[in-house]
Amino acid sequence: MAVLSSLVLFSCFLLLGSAFGATYLEGLLPNGNFEEAPNKTNLIKKTVIKGKYSLPKWEINGLVEYISGGPQPGGMYFNVAHGVHAVRLGNDASVSQTIPVKNGSLYALTFGASRTCAQDEVLRVSVLPQTGDLPLQTLYSSNGGDTYAWGFRATSDFARVSFHNPGAQENPSCGPLLDAVAIKELFPPRPTRANLVKNGNFEEIPHLLMNSSNGILLPPRQEDLTSPLPGWIIESLKAVKIIDSKHFNVPFGFAAIELVAGRESAIAQIIRTIPNKYYNLSFSVGDAKNGCHGSMMVEAFAGKDTIKVPFKSQGKGRFKRASLKFRAISARTRLTFFSSFYHTRVDDFGSLCGPVLDQVMVVPVARA
């Protein structure tokens, strides 16, 4: 009954909350911001949720706490960046919800997540048969307001979305804080004669949460078929960040990529090429006007060719174009971009930042 009720409410939400109708998904999941609270009779010690279906629209397992942002007993402070309430997943605890989707379509989940204890914490995101572990030991923003996106491809008409803490800490309540969950259906762009790069302007992106001004982090090791950034592979050890023009300076259009973790933050795409034919790779490099100052460098690779693009950031949102002429050596050429150095904001050494990448283009050219 709880699952059926959730599906009905979700369908109503789509009809009322989306201009695209019930066939297109974008927005918060039902009670995706956890502002609809459990009954007080289902809370132990004011925070621990009692009962599998006591958290409205969600199914819980294990030790799940209903948290209000701010100072906590014992001297802790939980920052709830996307509202007032959140859930905290203790040892081996999870929250899940079943939603209607379109079989075969690509979706991205956007969610706010942060660790709550000093130990390394992991948030496992699952839409079976796909699953991924998101390490939370790296804080990309000092205020704890990190927002992530995770992609999946639907394999049926319904998807069970699950967030799970697989850890086992000495304190059983220690675990990730989840404070908002949204979804968006993505439409992977195709290469054109004018640009062989798919989504080269980074305009097809996951849903942006309201009250979120820190951008969206894309977890490492996201494959092309299920990447929350269509067309691109996140092949690095650390995340890269999507930034939007509402909160940052971007060289072109609505969104761009910020390479926030040096050589550990890289994106790639494999494009179709003709062996021995020449191509020109061009792209924009700049700063997000977010307090990220200093000498920056973006390294770009196209097959066996490479270019290093220096950029002196004064934090004013400037950018410049760079280009690399390369000869394809096979029918597939890998494009890779990463930042040579690590940077933090001058007004907040706890927030990682870096150069901005946008307007990535590849076109065939004559040999001369």
Side-chain angles (χ1 to χ4, degrees):
M1 283 295 295
V3 171
L4 179 59
S5 175
S6 180
L7 292 178
V8 172
L9 285 166
F10 191 79
S11 298
C12 292
F13 157 79
L14 291 172
L15 288 169
L16 295 173
S18 172
F20 296 94
T23 58
Y24 174 77
L25 302 188
E26 181 172 5
L28 288 172
L29 297 188
N31 199 22
N33 56 7
F34 305 107
E35 297 303 321
E36 190 176 347
N39 291 330
K40 291 184 178 180
T41 56
N42 293 323
L43 292 176
I44 303 172
K45 297 180 181 179
K46 298 183 179 181
T47 62
V48 178
I49 304 174
K50 178 184 67 174
K52 195 169 188 177
Y53 302 106
S54 296
L55 179 63
K57 316 301 185 300
W58 294 88
E59 178 183 320
I60 71 170
N61 286 282
L63 177 57
V64 178
E65 291 184 272
Y66 190 68
I67 297 296
S68 298
Q72 306 295 316
M76 299 185 72
Y77 184 94
F78 292 160
N79 181 60
V80 179
H82 306 103
V84 179
H85 297 99
V87 292
R88 187 190 191 193
L89 306 179
N91 284 349
D92 201 31
S94 66
V95 293
S96 305
Q97 185 176 137
T98 300
I99 58 174
V101 290
K102 288 192 289 188
N103 190 2
S105 290
L106 177 65
Y107 295 89
L109 296 170
T110 306
F111 50 93
S114 58
R115 71 180 187 183
T116 60
C117 295
Q119 300 95 331
D120 289 345
E121 294 177 7
V122 171
L123 181 63
R124 180 167 294 165
V125 188
S126 301
V127 179
L128 294 178
Q130 298 151 84
T131 185
D133 285 355
L134 176 65
L136 297 177
Q137 59 263 38
T138 299
L139 298 178
Y140 293 86
S141 58
S142 61
N143 65 1
D146 287 341
T147 302
Y148 292 87
W150 185 80
F152 71 92
R153 194 168 292 277
T155 57
S156 71
D157 293 331
F158 295 94
R160 185 168 179 80
V161 177
S162 177
F163 296 89
H164 174 220
N165 172 19
Q169 306 289 353
E170 183 177 346
N171 182 346
S173 64
C174 275
L177 196 73
L178 185 67
D179 72 349
V181 184
I183 192 170
K184 181 181 178 182
E185 183 179 356
L186 298 173
F187 298 94
R190 297 181 179 275
T192 65
R193 290 184 178 180
N195 190 3
L196 299 179
V197 178
K198 295 175 290 185
N199 203 15
N201 289 331
F202 307 110
E203 298 297 286
E204 186 66 18
I205 61 171
H207 178 76
L208 293 166
L209 294 173
M210 289 185 64
N211 302 323
S212 180
S213 59
N214 290 328
I216 302 175
L217 294 163
L218 304 178
R221 298 174 181 173
Q222 300 292 308
E223 299 297 328
D224 185 29
L225 289 177
T226 56
S227 171
L229 183 63
W232 292 92
I233 304 165
I234 316 302
E235 63 175 12
S236 48
L237 297 175
K238 296 288 178 65
V240 302
K241 181 185 285 188
I242 298 172
I243 58 173
D244 63 285
S245 58
K246 182 179 179 181
H247 301 98
F248 302 87
N249 187 81
V250 302
F252 175 84
F254 177 68
I257 291 295
E258 186 179 11
L259 302 170
V260 292
R263 291 174 176 265
E264 295 181 282
S265 185
I267 63 170
Q269 183 172 143
I270 299 173
I271 63 172
R272 293 187 177 185
T273 50
I274 299 173
N276 296 316
K277 189 173 180 63
Y278 284 82
Y279 297 85
N280 188 68
L281 164 66
S282 61
F283 53 95
S284 295
V285 173
D287 72 88
K289 201 176 182 180
N290 61 346
C292 203
H293 288 233
S295 297
M296 299 179 174
M297 178 102 58
V298 171
E299 297 187 43
F301 296 82
K304 291 186 176 180
D305 296 289
T306 182
I307 184 175
K308 294 183 178 181
V309 182
F311 180 81
K312 182 69 173 179
S313 172
Q314 297 176 336
K316 297 181 179 180
R318 294 175 178 170
F319 67 94
K320 69 178 185 180
R321 292 290 288 174
S323 63
L324 168 67
K325 187 175 180 179
F326 68 93
R327 181 174 66 88
I329 58 176
S330 69
R332 298 288 188 275
T333 297
R334 175 181 288 267
L335 310 176
T336 305
F337 300 87
F338 62 78
S339 171
S340 303
F341 312 122
Y342 293 86
H343 303 274
T344 58
R345 285 168 41 186
V346 292
D347 57 344
D348 184 358
F349 293 120
S351 293
L352 294 174
C353 63
V356 172
L357 175 70
D358 202 359
Q359 294 178 289
V360 182
M361 299 184 65
V362 171
V363 293
V365 294
R367 180 172 182 176

